[in-house]
Amino acid sequence: MRGGYLHNVILIAVLSDLFELEGWHTDQEVPVRMGSTIRFVDLVAEREGYCIAIEAECSAKRIEGDLDKAQAIGSQELWIVTPTARIAESVRRKLDRLYVPVNRDGLFVLTQGAATERVMNKLPHFAGS
């Protein structure tokens, strides 16, 4: 994987393991064609036809690309997962400047802890689960 230890092990691998414990199928570094280039979604979790794209971000720089990749794979949700609340707030501000509503239409900005809690506590009761 392309990211460092924080990105690959702490943010992505932990979430992948949790999704699988809850009965979801996961794939890391899922390729998606964006025009003439290939980009990669960090983690895709699927269950019974429901798809969640997960992007781990340590800054707000690549948010527009994350939105495009999630749309290109046809995911019902996009989770942007950050290591800290400060980075999550930076991502929310960037989305606000792009006029993209958070926590609606399947877009969630979550810290690692919030994402973990969402997998363990919310998804087992979720209609798509």
Side-chain angles (χ1 to χ4, degrees):
M1 291 197 339
R2 289 162 179 64
Y5 184 82
L6 173 65
H7 180 277
N8 296 343
V9 177
I10 303 299
L11 296 175
I12 295 301
V14 168
L15 283 175
S16 180
D17 291 346
L18 286 172
F19 269 105
E20 289 187 2
L21 283 172
E22 294 296 330
W24 292 70
H25 172 74
T26 64
D27 285 308
Q28 295 180 27
E29 291 291 318
V30 176
V32 59
R33 182 168 295 281
M34 306 292 297
S36 62
T37 62
I38 300 287
R39 309 264 314 274
F40 295 88
V41 178
D42 292 333
L43 177 65
V44 174
E46 295 178 290
R47 184 171 169 181
E48 299 176 18
Y50 197 84
C51 177
I52 301 173
I54 297 107
E55 290 287 351
E57 295 298 351
C58 293
S59 77
K61 291 182 210 173
R62 292 181 293 274
I63 299 308
E64 291 168 291
D66 294 344
L67 296 169
D68 292 340
K69 290 186 286 182
Q71 183 178 15
I73 67 166
S75 66
Q76 285 84 7
E77 293 186 17
L78 168 59
W79 294 11
I80 299 172
V81 179
T82 67
T84 66
R86 177 180 245 174
I87 296 170
E89 185 55 35
S90 175
V91 169
R92 285 186 193 97
R93 284 192 308 270
K94 172 87 177 238
L95 289 166
D96 192 47
R97 287 191 302 273
L98 295 171
Y99 301 104
V100 177
V102 179
N103 297 336
R104 289 192 4 208
D105 301 324
L107 174 61
F108 301 92
V109 178
L110 306 162
T111 61
Q112 173 66 26
T116 298
E117 182 179 325
R118 186 167 176 80
V119 173
M120 296 175 63
N121 297 328
K122 302 272 194 267
L123 291 180
H125 309 291
F126 185 70
S129 311

